[in-house]
Structure formats: C-alpha cells, structure tokens
C-alpha cells in the first residue's frame, strides 16, 4: 500500500471498521505481551515467594525501560502520523529514523548505568534482604537487553501509527512465543532458576527486535536506515514533546510500583510484629510484595486489551486530526469509550468472582499471598470500568498533539491521585489502605479526565469542507 492509498484509507473508511481493523493486531500484541509476563510470574512462583516478589521488583525496572521506549516510540509515531496526514512524507521519514536511533543510544547509556549500580537499584526498587539475590540475578540479565528492548517499542509504535499494526503484532507474538517456550527449558530443564527466566526474556526480545527491524522494509512502512539523517536534532524536541504523556504514564507507573513495594514491605513488617513470633518479618513482607505483584500482573493483563484497543484508535485520531477531519476524531473516540466500557464491566465481574482462584494460581502454597492478593484484586475490579474513559481520553489528547494536558492526565491515575492515596490510606487502614489505594485513585482520576476530555472535544469544530482525496 502506497502512502497515498494509506491516506485515503485512514481518512475515508468508516471509523468503526477502521478502528477495529487496526485494534485487533494491537490487542493481540498487548495481550500476548502481558501473557508472557504472567508466564514469567507463574514459573518463577514455582521457586519460592521471595523469587516471585523479585519478579515484581524487577517489573518496575521493565516499566522504566518501556516508558523510555514509549517516549521515543509514541513521540515519533504520532508526529509521523500527523505529517503523513498532512502528506509530508519526507519529514515523516526523518522523524521515524531520528526516533529509532536516539532511543537506541539512550538504551546503551541506561544499560551501562544500571549495571554499575545494580545492587543499590534493586534496593531502591523495593527489595528486601531475602529478595535481593533473586532480584540482582534477574536484573543484571534484563539490563543487557535494554537497548534493543527500548528500540523495539519504537519500531512497534511507529508501525502502528502508520496503520500497519499487523506487522508490529507479528514481531511481538513470535517473540512472546519464544519466551514462553524458553522459560521452562532454561529455568528447570537446564536448572538456571530465575536467571533462566531473565535469559528467556532478553533472547525472545532480541528475536522480536530483529524481526520488527526487518519488517520496516515491507507494507509501505518508513524504512530505518543510517542514510536517512538518523540524528536529526531539529525534530527531537517535538518527538520528546509528543512522547512525554507516554513517559509520564509509564514512568509514573514504575515509580508507583516502587512505592507500592516499599509501602507494602513496611506495612507488612509492622503487621507481622503484632502476630506470632514464629512469623518472619522479612518473609511476611515478601508475601505482601508477591501478592501485590501478582495483582499488578493480572490487572495489567486485563488492561492490556483496553490499551491495545486504544492504540488502534490513536493512528485514526492522529491521521484525521492532521487532516482536520474533526468529526471523525469525535466519532472514533465515542465508539472506543462505549465499546471498552462494556468490555471492562464484563472483565471486572469475572475478576471479582474468581479473585481467590486467580491469585492462588500463581502461588498456591502461600495462604498469606492469596489472602492479601484476593482483597486487592476485588477492590480494583470495582473501579476497573472507569478506565474506559480515563485511557481513551489520555490517548486522544496525546494523539492530537495536546502534550501538556495529556501529560497531566497520564500522571493522574498512578501518580497525582495514586501516590497521595498510597501515602495516606495505609497510615489509617494499614494493609487495607495499600489494597484500596488504586481504586480510590481511579475515582479522582475520572473527575480530572472528564473535565480535560470534554473541554477538548468541545473545541473540535466539525469541518464542513474537507476533501480527503484531494
């Protein structure tokens, strides 16, 4: 498909069908990614509770890597899509290459610093003394794959914003399948333990990266090449500006996970002091961190379908906003909000009913993990449908280049609203405060995003004379 044909498709095809076509591959990609993260948790859970908690600790590092990849990936991607909507293909090529190569260099810097300070980093991310050996082993290996893991997020998002989500899906699904196959082989057959899980992750990510890089040469994708002005500093500020909401959303998520681990550790130790002297403070803290880690992975899996749906909406939004077809932007937004709300209600009901079974599936021989995780998961299911508006509003604002307000909205759910709840509620309700912090934050986040989203939608005036094929 030529760029001209792609333009016609993105600006004239019925919105619901277009969003659905683009969303299906991204939903599959997100679900598969979330699934193999859960597989890691499942297999590591076969070792012990401390190892399960270590995966939760390193998960915040993975979230930071993803956040930095999204900074360049979403920033370059939505900037490219707007330029393609304006039919400025040459500028779109410059943006695509700059986003990729700047991210790759940044990934190498992050890897070197992480390896130098790996042990302090593990403690900063929430490790206890019993978690630390597992966390360090896992983290050292993950950091080796940091540069190409970040760059993979760039390639994935650039393809998606160009309307070629199917190519991004192929790279991710194949990488995930390799990870799932390698996990039990490396961990148990070769007796590598938690190191095997880490090696499975970075090997599969390397395969995914190579495949995604190769796929940029097909389907009308903008090619990645050193010949295309790879370090164009002129476009870097706009890339960073466009990716800032994603960095805020993912970055604050990793900070929140770190704070969640730290608070869970402290509150659990205080709780353990009031219990039988047989209870180890460190092991009870490990159980709390493991439980919240499992809940985070489960809710991430459920939320990944919503994110995938929203990522199918974003290129439609960017293209049509760039082409000044504001009525199509609104139509796509409302369709996504309604469809995702119905989906999330169904998921929340199932999650609430089967919470004990879901949590115990990952760590069935530790009743403390099951008890803490079940209540936390049920609490989050109550407010889960609110994410339909929260996520779609954030994605619309970002795709339309409203970087500042999109960044504020992105910071709300797991930052501006969540962190105060995490600091205040445990002081009043103890462990229950940890478990309900996210649902309470979701209610406040909805209020903020309603104001921001409705204000922006009211500013979009339908264009009476648009000629998409001109």
């Amino acid at each position: 498909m030529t760029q001209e044909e792609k333009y016609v498709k993105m600006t004239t095809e019925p919105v619901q069908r277009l969003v659905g076509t683009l969303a299906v591959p991204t939903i599959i990609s997100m679900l598969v990614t979330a699934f193999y993260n859960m597989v890691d948790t499942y297999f590591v859970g076969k070792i012990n509770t401390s190892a399960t908690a270590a995966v939760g600790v390193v998960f915040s590092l993975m979230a930071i890597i993803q956040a930095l990849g999204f900074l360049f990936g979403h920033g370059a991607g939505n900037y490219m899509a707007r330029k393609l909507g304006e039919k400025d293909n040459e500028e779109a090529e410059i943006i695509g290459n700059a986003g990729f190569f700047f991210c790759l260099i940044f990934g190498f810097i992050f890897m070197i610093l992480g390896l130098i300070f790996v042990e302090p980093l593990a403690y900063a991310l929430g490790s206890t003394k019993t978690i630390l050996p597992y966390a360090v082993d896992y983290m050292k290996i993950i950091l080796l794959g940091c540069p190409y893991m970040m760059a993979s997020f760039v390639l994935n998002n650039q393809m998606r914003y160009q309307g070629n989500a199917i190519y991004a899906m192929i790279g991710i699904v194949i990488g995930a399948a390799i990870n799932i196959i390698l996990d039990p082989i490396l961990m148990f057959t070769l007796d590598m333990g938690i190191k095997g899980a880490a090696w499975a992750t970075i090997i599969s990510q390397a395969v995914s990266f190579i495949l995604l890089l190769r796929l940029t040469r097909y389907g009308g994708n903008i090619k990645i090449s050193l010949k295309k002005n790879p370090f164009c500093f002129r476009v870097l500020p706009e890339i960073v500006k466009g990716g800032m909401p994603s960095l805020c959303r993912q970055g604050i998520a990793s900070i929140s996970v770190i704070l969640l681990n730290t608070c869970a550790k402290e509150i659990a130790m205080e709780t353990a002091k009031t219990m039988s002297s047989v209870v180890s403070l460190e092991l009870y803290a490990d159980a709390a961190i493991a439980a919240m880690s499992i809940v985070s992975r489960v809710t991430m899996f459920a939320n990944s379908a919503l994110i995938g749906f929203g990522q199918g909406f974003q290129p439609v939004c960017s293209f049509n906003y760039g082409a000044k077809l504001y009525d199509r932007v609104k139509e796509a937004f409302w369709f996504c909000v309604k469809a995702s709300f119905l989906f999330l209600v169904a998921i929340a009901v199932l999650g609430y009913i089967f919470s004990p079974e879901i949590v115990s599936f990952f760590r069935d021989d530790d009743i403390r993990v099951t008890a803490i995780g079940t209540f936390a998961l049920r609490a989050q299911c109550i407010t889960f449908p609110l994410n339909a508006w929260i996520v779609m509003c954030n994605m619309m604002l970002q795709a339309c280049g409203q970087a500042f307000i999109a960044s504020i909205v992105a910071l709300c759910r797991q930052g501006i609203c969540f962190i105060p709840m995490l600091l205040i509620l445990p002081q009043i309700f103890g462990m229950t405060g940890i478990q309900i912090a996210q649902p309470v934050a979701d209610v406040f986040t909805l209020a903020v995003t309603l104001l921001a989203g409705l204000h922006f939608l009211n500013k979009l005036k339908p264009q009476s004379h648009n000629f998409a094929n001109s």
Side-chain angles (χ1 to χ4, degrees):
M1 186 183 294
T2 65
Q3 292 293 352
E4 182 62 29
E5 290 170 335
K6 195 178 296 181
Y7 178 90
V8 172
K9 174 185 176 181
M10 297 292 284
T11 56
T12 61
E13 187 172 315
V15 164
Q16 293 187 12
R17 186 170 68 195
L18 183 59
V19 170
T21 301
L22 294 173
V24 169
T26 54
I27 289 172
I28 293 172
S29 299
M30 293 297 295
L31 284 173
V32 169
T33 301
F35 179 71
Y36 79 70
N37 283 329
M38 289 175 67
V39 168
D40 270 357
T41 303
Y42 172 76
F43 283 120
V44 172
K46 299 296 181 183
I47 301 174
N48 56 41
T49 297
S50 297
T52 305
V55 173
V57 168
V58 179
F59 177 65
S60 53
L61 173 69
M62 301 279 281
I64 294 170
I65 292 171
Q66 186 180 51
L68 293 169
F70 277 10
L71 170 67
F72 294 97
H74 280 247
N78 68 55
Y79 190 16
M80 285 166 58
R82 294 199 303 273
K83 289 300 177 182
L84 292 171
E86 296 167 9
K87 296 190 175 182
D88 190 351
N89 296 346
E90 185 176 343
E91 184 71 359
E93 286 191 1
I94 293 172
I95 295 163
N97 277 273
F100 174 81
F101 284 105
F102 278 123
C103 183
L104 197 61
I105 295 300
F106 197 86
F108 276 106
I109 296 170
F110 189 90
M111 176 191 74
I112 293 167
L113 291 175
L115 289 171
I116 292 172
F117 300 105
V118 65
E119 207 165 296
L121 181 60
Y123 271 122
L125 295 177
S127 286
T128 63
K129 290 180 181 178
T130 46
I131 292 172
L132 184 68
Y134 298 101
V136 168
D137 283 348
Y138 197 93
M139 196 179 296
K140 282 180 179 178
I141 297 165
I142 292 297
L143 283 166
L144 294 175
C146 180
Y148 60 79
M149 287 167 70
M150 279 190 195
S152 291
F153 288 117
V154 176
L155 295 173
N156 182 301
N157 284 288
Q158 288 187 359
M159 288 181 183
R160 207 170 41 74
Y161 274 102
Q162 293 174 77
N164 290 329
I166 188 71
Y167 289 91
M169 182 197 76
I170 291 169
I172 288 175
V173 169
I174 291 175
I178 292 171
N179 193 335
I180 292 167
I181 293 168
L182 287 177
D183 260 336
I185 294 173
L186 297 180
M187 289 182 66
F188 304 116
T189 305
L190 299 181
D191 198 27
M192 295 175 68
I194 198 168
K195 291 181 180 180
W199 279 112
T201 297
I202 69 165
I203 290 170
S204 63
Q205 290 282 348
V207 173
S208 183
F209 169 73
I210 293 167
L211 189 55
L212 286 169
L213 191 59
R214 184 65 180 169
L215 287 172
T216 60
R217 300 186 174 276
Y218 300 95
N221 283 306
I222 287 174
K223 297 179 180 64
I224 300 299
S225 172
L226 284 167
K227 299 176 182 178
K228 297 291 180 80
N229 196 7
F231 300 106
C232 181
F233 285 90
R234 172 177 57 82
V235 300
L236 185 58
E238 191 67 26
I239 290 174
V240 172
K241 175 185 171 185
M244 192 56 66
S246 292
L247 178 64
C248 291
R249 182 172 59 245
Q250 296 299 128
I252 203 67
S254 63
I255 292 170
S256 297
V257 170
I258 295 167
L259 187 58
L260 178 64
N261 289 337
T262 302
C263 290
K265 176 174 66 177
E266 292 175 356
I267 295 297
M269 284 185 171
E270 289 298 319
T271 303
K273 289 177 183 178
T274 66
M275 301 169 68
S276 167
S277 59
V278 176
V279 177
S280 164
L281 300 186
E282 293 283 354
L283 292 180
Y284 195 80
D286 291 1
I289 295 172
M292 297 311 295
S293 170
I294 289 169
V295 171
S296 295
R297 293 297 177 103
V298 171
T299 54
M300 181 185 71
F301 181 74
N303 211 34
S304 63
L306 173 65
I307 300 293
F309 190 49
Q311 289 181 343
F313 156 67
Q314 279 190 308
V316 178
C317 190
S318 291
F319 248 93
N320 287 280
Y321 186 78
K324 302 189 186 304
L325 298 171
Y326 301 138
D327 52 341
R328 286 173 61 82
V329 174
K330 287 184 173 182
E331 184 183 354
F333 174 75
W334 286 113
F335 164 68
C336 290
V337 169
K338 292 173 185 175
S340 56
F341 180 77
L342 294 174
F343 168 76
L344 291 180
V345 168
I347 292 296
V349 170
L350 291 172
Y352 190 93
I353 294 171
F354 296 106
S355 288
E357 291 80 6
I358 292 170
V359 176
S360 62
F361 176 77
F362 294 94
R363 192 75 191 127
D364 59 357
D365 60 350
D366 194 327
I367 58 173
R368 295 166 300 183
V369 172
T370 302
I372 296 169
T374 296
F375 184 84
L377 183 55
R378 282 181 167 165
Q380 292 201 27
C381 284
I382 293 172
T383 60
F384 201 54
L386 303 182
N387 282 313
W389 177 274
I390 292 169
V391 171
M392 293 304 162
C393 177
N394 183 225
M395 289 192 164
M396 174 185 66
L397 293 169
Q398 181 180 8
C400 292
Q402 308 300 304
F404 177 75
I405 189 62
S407 298
I408 296 298
V409 169
L411 285 168
C412 279
R413 184 173 184 264
Q414 292 185 296
I416 296 172
C417 297
F418 177 64
I419 291 176
M421 294 302 101
L422 200 53
L423 295 174
I424 295 169
L425 294 178
Q427 303 306 314
I428 302 171
F429 302 109
M431 182 57 67
T432 302
I434 299 281
Q435 295 161 310
I436 66 171
Q438 187 63 72
V440 174
D442 286 348
V443 174
F444 287 106
T445 303
L446 178 67
V448 175
T449 53
L450 274 172
L451 292 173
L454 292 174
H455 176 71
F456 179 73
L457 288 167
N458 287 334
K459 292 197 303 181
L460 294 180
K461 305 299 181 184
Q463 301 295 299
S464 57
H465 298 290
N466 273 302
F467 302 97
N469 294 321
S470 62

